């Protein structure tokens, strides 16, 4: 597996056609008001203001020296129909697929998933393009901690009744994400995921636990805030 063959590997950018332009074009106010873009911006703001997952991740990134600015670090764009979002490490931007995200719950989950990648990019200096294990680890963490594999989502997918189901869901969704953005065989992707799975699955930063529900995330956010107050008073 040649991970450095840049002539053939596009790192998933074909899924985000607006990323291939040199400049980001902004439409008129009237156009944005009645399009997917406006709806995307409204749902994004609601997520950042109300989701305990997002608020914890934003606080953790700020504490790590990576303050997130909504207008600078998020971009609502049209994407390929197979993806909902992505993290562009070259610009440190989270792409939200405005043509594919139609429900607030979906927006909450996508923002959380991509913020986990952004958090990893901030704290761990992930080599997204040359170290396949780094990519696999962040995809495992994002699937594990974002709610992608929550009980309610798995009921909707009719994926129930398997022993260690959460772990299987995390592994499967990490593989799916990797195969979407890398030209690599499923066998090689599975091998890499297996090599890093245990350590990355058990890395729950910054939540300190697997937030299986909104209530879990609220508890994790409160604990994070309390730790901040404790250290501020030392």
């Amino acid at each position: 597996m040649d991970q450095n063959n840049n002539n053939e590997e596009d790192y998933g950018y074909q899924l985000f056609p607006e990323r291939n332009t040199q400049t980001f074009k902004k439409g008129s106010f009237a156009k944005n008001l009645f399009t997917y873009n406006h709806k995307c911006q409204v749902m994004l703001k609601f997520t950042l203001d109300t989701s305990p997952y997002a608020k914890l991740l934003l606080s953790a990134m700020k504490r790590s020296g990576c303050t997130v600015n909504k207008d600078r670090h998020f971009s609502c764009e049209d994407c390929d129909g197979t993806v909902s979002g992505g993290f562009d490490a070259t610009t440190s931007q989270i792409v939200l697929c405005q043509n594919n995200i139609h429900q607030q719950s979906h927006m909450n989950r996508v923002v959380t998933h991509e913020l986990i990648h952004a958090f990893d990019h901030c704290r761990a200096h992930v080599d997204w393009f040359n170290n396949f294990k780094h990519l696999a680890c962040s995809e495992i963490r994002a699937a594990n901690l974002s709610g992608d594999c929550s009980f309610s989502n798995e009921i909707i997918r009719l994926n129930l009744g398997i022993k260690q189901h959460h772990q299987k869901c995390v592994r499967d969704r990490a593989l799916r994400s990797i195969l979407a953005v890398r030209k690599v065989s499923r066998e090689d992707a599975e091998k890499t995921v297996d090599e890093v799975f245990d350590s990355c699955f058990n890395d729950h930063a910054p939540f300190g636990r697997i937030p299986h529900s909104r209530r879990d995330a609220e508890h994790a956010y409160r604990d994070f805030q309390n730790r901040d107050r404790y250290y501020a008073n030392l």
Side-chain angles (χ1 to χ4, degrees), residues 72-84:
R72 161 66 180 86
H73 294 108
F74 291 91
S75 181
C76 290
E77 302 175 12
D78 286 338
C79 309
D80 181 272
T82 62
V83 293
S84 299

Side-chain angles (χ1 to χ4, degrees), residues 168-218:
K168 182 180 186 302
C169 173
V170 169
R171 184 177 183 277
D172 288 349
R173 294 191 71 79
L175 279 171
R176 178 181 172 184
S177 294
I178 292 167
L179 292 171
V181 299
R182 291 293 185 274
K183 293 179 180 178
V184 60
S185 71
R186 185 176 184 87
E187 181 181 0
D188 285 341
E190 288 177 341
K191 179 181 178 182
T192 303
V193 167
D194 288 343
E195 287 175 353
V196 301
F197 188 85
D198 287 344
S199 61
C200 299
F201 181 82
N202 289 304
D203 179 1
H204 303 150
F207 294 93
R209 70 195 78 185
I210 299 175
H212 290 289
S213 66
R214 182 184 178 90
R215 177 172 291 183
D216 286 345
E218 288 171 347

Side-chain angles (χ1 to χ4, degrees), residues 24-51:
F24 296 98
K25 298 180 180 178
K26 294 185 179 296
S28 67
F29 174 77
K31 180 180 179 181
N32 286 336
L33 185 60
F34 300 105
T35 60
Y36 285 143
N37 186 270
H38 176 70
K39 182 179 180 181
C40 177
Q41 296 289 348
V42 171
M43 289 196 295
L44 169 61
K45 185 178 187 306
F46 187 83
T47 296
L48 298 180
D49 289 345
T50 65
S51 167

